[in-house]
Amino acid sequence: MTVTWEDLGWERVATGVGRCRLPVWDCTAGLVAGEGAVLVIDAGSSLAEGAKVRAQARALTGHRVTHLALTHPHFDHVFGAAAFTDAEVFGAVGVDAVLTRARDREELRADAVRNGLAAPTAEEAAQRLAPPGHLVSGEWTLDLGGGRQVLLANVGPGHTAHDLAVLVPGDPEVVFCGDLVEESGEPQAGPDAVASHWPAALDRLLDLGGEDAVYVPGHGAVVDAAFVRAQRDALAARFGVSR
């Protein structure tokens, strides 16, 4: 019996491209299927959640997850990363320090617990964090086979100092935005946000995808270019950034 995207609660946004909205924090996990290679975008908030995403990706594609891209270093996006033991992992330059430096790892653990993750679950995930094997300073093209190429772009800083976007060419083009874009609530600017650069990061997202792309936020429903542009303008006004 063939498993469909809908069977597992995933939303198909283009041919071979989908996303799911993980429970509790409504965090997006993305999936891009090539020919024998599979990219997952963000790993969820725990090792168990990461393992579930990995298993569902295999069920949907028939192949193991070969690549994992982390859009930014917040617990709800990275704490499942250790479940992808045999995948090549990508992140923006600098994210390696956040995931390995003791004080940063402790802050991620504490933030997870403050937000409701069970303390033992947070502790296990924090202890098993490892730096990505591949750090993106500009743009990096992944060849997933079968004519499927994906562009990883270091578009930050903005939501954090280390924001990575993923462009999937096609019809439509799909841009995975991480938390540079949020639809289910106002974009969250924590102590690691770089507010003065955030609107410019959204300009780079719009340059990547263009007017007709589908934009997948880190939290919430899929949006269009007009939504991203409006959020850019709102952030510029909120933080007093001249445009």
Side-chain angles (χ1 to χ4, degrees), residues 25 44-46 73-80 108-109 111-112 115 117:
W25 293 283
S45 60
S46 67
H74 284 167
F75 83 90
D76 48 337
H77 297 260
V78 303
F79 264 12
L108 282 174
R109 185 205 64 78
D111 186 48
N115 280 280
L117 191 65

Side-chain angles (χ1 to χ4, degrees), residues 207-228:
D207 287 341
L208 277 176
E211 284 301 305
D212 297 325
V214 170
Y215 293 85
V216 184
H219 302 265
V222 169
V223 299
D224 59 13
F227 181 96
V228 176

